[in-house]
Amino acid sequence: MHQFYSSEGSLIKKIAAILIFGFFSLQVSAQIDVVSNNNGTQLANIIAGNGVTIENVNFNCADGAAGTFNCVSCNLGIDSGIVLTTGCAYNVPGPNTSGSTSCYNFYPGDQDLADLEGLPISELFDACVLEFDMTVLSDSVRFNYVFASEEYPEYACSGFNDVFAFFISGPGIAGQQNIALIPGTNVPVSINTVNEGPGLNSNNSCDVTYPEYYVDNGDGFTYPYDASPYYLQYDGLTTVLQANAGGLQPCQVYHLKLAISDVGDEAYDSGVFIEANSLNSNAVSLDSVRTTVPGVKDAVRGCVDGIFTFQLQNPVNQNTTVHFEIGGTAVAGVDYNNVPDSVIIHAGNSSAQIFIVPTVHPAQDSLTVVVYLFTTCSNVPYDSAVLLILDTVGRAVSVSSPVICVGTPDTLTIFPTISGDTYSWSPGGGSLSSIIVTPTITTTYTVTYHSVCGTNTASGKVTVVQAPTLVTTTDTICAEGTAQISATPSVNGGTYSWSPGGYTTSTISVSPGIT
């Protein structure tokens, strides 16, 4: 419980500061972009991440008190998300050119926040509340936030202790709990608990409390805070903190209430920033698929195994059993080793792996192994990953044109290519998987490829022919006679187009009539 001071001197000092500093506000291009938003459902879904499903949203804020933000280059510590304020969201961007920014909403306080502070609700003003139900995937939930206020630093350890809280309630929780706590304690985060001691308010004394979580942001007329839009308007803020709730029941519905309010009077704005997509239940995800050979992305029969990694967002104190299903075109027990349908992430660890060991088969097409993760709440997969199995045998050289004329370039390519392989062509001396050649005679090209599976060769033949000439059976025929004309030598696989006549074979019969 915080002791409340409502001395007339303190209130007059705040009003005077507002009048004085208000004259010195400057308009500077902001490095944090804030857009007012009064749609509670949109705001709730912006912060929702993995393992959380949101419904039944209730939003109770004054117009313009909440919004979304993007930190282009600012000292907030969070890139994007939502902000709930006791004033106006448009006052968030800096530079900090006022020590007393205030926006009067003439909005009431919140009873839960009043109870948390041990104050009558009449002492709270301008509450902004976003609350909703959420179905959680695991036994915990967490999100990242920053609290900031114009009450810093003057009114640290005073009755003007603007309050915020994150209340969670539901199965297994007695009443509701505030999870906006100083790390490792049960102490609520507030102006009076995170600070560097009292400022101008010398009548109120207290010890410096948890200064490691406090970020000084000037006082409205201190360089560089008042000159650069890198800094927010608020005079002080916390470091990025994390709200955590454990001991939850997977697949159950919990209620989360995010609330902030002025205390003592409506002056001096405060705001709480919540990171986008950071509201996560401790779900397991599939990490990027790897193999047992660095630099090789696909499994290869006989020499490279695949690895699926199951990643827990945060380690926990007990074993976590992860159930999964396997699909794809490869068949377990035939194309690769049999694997179980679950894996255990041991207590204190954040990941576990399964290995896919391909069996050695005669040459065949590449096959896939797909791992699916399902929630315990439904039969719909929420994550998946794919491993490709390649064959070690059956590599060949493709030739773009098996038959060419003298002086015509041709392209030879080895397939399939496997990451990490090196190549050496002969003749030609190329070192890539594909080469361009212009042989003058029929030539067989051989590529030696060095891979994790050993050294082998493949070859391709390019047949070179002379350009054909026209040969006729006779030079002179009667007016209605017929003559044969041939393109010699004929090229196997070659195409022909005669004019006139449009013939397409290498030898044609013509009756040209009278010349």
Side-chain angles (χ1 to χ4, degrees):
M1 179 183 299
H2 301 285
Q3 187 175 3
F4 177 69
Y5 301 92
S6 58
S7 66
E8 182 179 354
S10 295
L11 182 58
I12 293 174
K13 186 183 294 182
K14 291 186 72 173
I15 295 173
I18 295 169
L19 294 175
I20 293 171
F21 291 132
F23 288 111
F24 296 96
S25 296
L26 300 177
Q27 294 297 319
V28 184
S29 177
Q31 296 302 301
I32 181 171
D33 295 325
V34 179
V35 178
S36 296
N37 190 318
N38 295 319
N39 187 315
T41 299
Q42 290 181 2
L43 296 176
N45 282 295
I46 286 172
I47 64 175
N50 293 329
V52 173
T53 302
I54 288 177
E55 57 186 351
N56 300 327
V57 178
N58 184 36
F59 181 66
N60 189 16
C61 293
D63 287 348
T68 61
F69 70 88
N70 283 282
C71 175
V72 179
S73 175
C74 72
N75 67 329
L76 182 63
I78 297 176
D79 291 337
S80 64
I82 70 170
V83 58
L84 309 177
T85 78
T86 63
C88 296
Y90 62 71
N91 279 335
V92 168
N96 182 10
T97 56
S98 170
S100 56
T101 297
S102 302
C103 181
Y104 297 96
N105 292 326
F106 304 102
Y107 223 64
D110 176 79
Q111 186 63 59
D112 289 329
L113 291 177
D115 293 343
L116 182 68
E117 290 287 279
L119 297 173
I121 194 171
S122 59
E123 298 290 356
L124 274 68
F125 308 89
D126 294 335
C128 182
V129 179
L130 173 64
E131 54 187 320
F132 48 82
D133 292 333
M134 59 180 180
T135 302
V136 297
L137 184 62
S138 73
D139 62 354
S140 62
V141 71
R142 58 186 47 81
F143 56 92
N144 299 324
Y145 69 96
V146 168
F147 171 65
S149 180
E150 283 287 76
E151 302 284 1
Y152 285 125
E154 303 96 313
Y155 298 96
C157 308
S158 78
F160 298 106
N161 183 40
D162 288 356
V163 61
F164 81 101
F166 306 138
F167 297 109
I168 188 170
S169 58
I173 298 176
Q176 61 182 8
Q177 296 178 359
N178 175 26
I179 57 174
L181 305 175
I182 292 171
T185 76
N186 289 319
V187 178
V189 175
S190 71
I191 296 168
N192 285 358
T193 60
V194 177
N195 57 65
E196 291 182 337
L200 301 179
N201 214 24
S202 58
N203 292 331
N204 303 310
S205 61
C206 69
D207 295 329
V208 174
T209 52
Y210 302 103
E212 65 270 30
Y213 302 116
Y214 178 71
V215 178
D216 179 34
N217 200 50
D219 55 13
F221 50 89
T222 304
Y223 183 84
Y225 310 104
D226 64 346
S228 172
Y230 173 76
Y231 301 99
L232 304 184
Q233 177 61 67
Y234 297 119
D235 287 356
L237 59 152
T238 68
T239 59
V240 179
L241 300 173
Q242 187 174 83
N244 294 277
L248 308 185
Q249 298 175 17
C251 303
Q252 296 300 307
V253 177
Y254 289 83
H255 189 76
L256 187 64
K257 178 178 180 178
L258 315 173
I260 188 170
S261 177
D262 278 329
V263 174
D265 60 20
E266 296 174 281
Y268 287 43
D269 289 354
S270 297
V272 62
F273 301 80
I274 303 172
E275 185 177 16
N277 305 125
S278 68
L279 177 60
N280 291 290
S281 187
N282 197 16
V284 176
S285 61
L286 281 163
D287 207 350
S288 299
V289 177
R290 299 184 295 112
T291 69
T292 52
V293 178
V296 178
K297 66 177 182 179
D298 303 316
V300 183
R301 294 186 184 278
C303 60
V304 180
D305 300 336
I307 304 173
F308 287 95
T309 301
F310 301 84
Q311 192 74 39
L312 189 63
Q313 292 173 341
N314 294 277
V316 293
N317 296 327
Q318 66 276 351
N319 290 348
T320 301
T321 301
V322 183
H323 296 276
F324 57 88
E325 291 187 10
I326 292 187
T329 57
V331 179
V334 177
D335 298 303
Y336 61 94
N337 61 308
N338 282 307
V339 294
D341 61 358
S342 64
V343 66
I344 296 176
I345 301 177
H346 293 283
N349 293 334
S350 60
S351 65
Q353 298 175 331
I354 61 169
F355 288 80
I356 302 298
V357 182
T359 56
V360 178
H361 272 196
Q364 57 182 302
D365 293 336
S366 300
L367 302 175
T368 58
V369 179
V370 185
V371 171
Y372 300 95
L373 289 178
F374 291 80
T375 72
T376 55
C377 316
S378 71
N379 293 321
V380 179
Y382 68 89
D383 201 3
S384 64
V386 180
L387 173 71
L388 187 64
I389 298 178
L390 303 178
D391 287 298
T392 57
V393 294
R395 290 208 236 177
V397 171
S398 66
V399 182
S400 59
S401 298
V403 180
I404 63 172
C405 294
V406 175
T408 303
D410 205 355
T411 301
L412 295 90
T413 303
I414 186 172
F415 70 95
T417 58
I418 298 178
S419 58
D421 282 8
T422 59
Y423 309 95
S424 177
W425 292 85
S426 179
S431 59
L432 302 178
S433 60
S434 182
I435 61 172
I436 298 175
V437 298
T438 311
T440 58
I441 60 174
T442 297
T443 305
T444 297
Y445 291 87
T446 300
V447 58
T448 301
Y449 54 95
H450 308 273
S451 72
V452 293
C453 302
T455 299
N456 265 303
T457 61
S459 60
K461 183 178 180 180
V462 179
T463 300
V464 180
V465 298
Q466 300 297 320
T469 58
L470 298 182
V471 178
T472 59
T473 54
T474 177
D475 293 331
T476 304
I477 60 172
C478 295
E480 297 181 356
T482 299
Q484 281 193 331
I485 308 175
S486 299
T488 303
S490 62
V491 179
N492 184 28
T495 60
Y496 304 87
S497 178
W498 294 84
S499 181
Y503 305 105
T504 59
T505 58
S506 60
T507 299
I508 63 173
S509 296
V510 296
S511 301
I514 300 174
T515 60

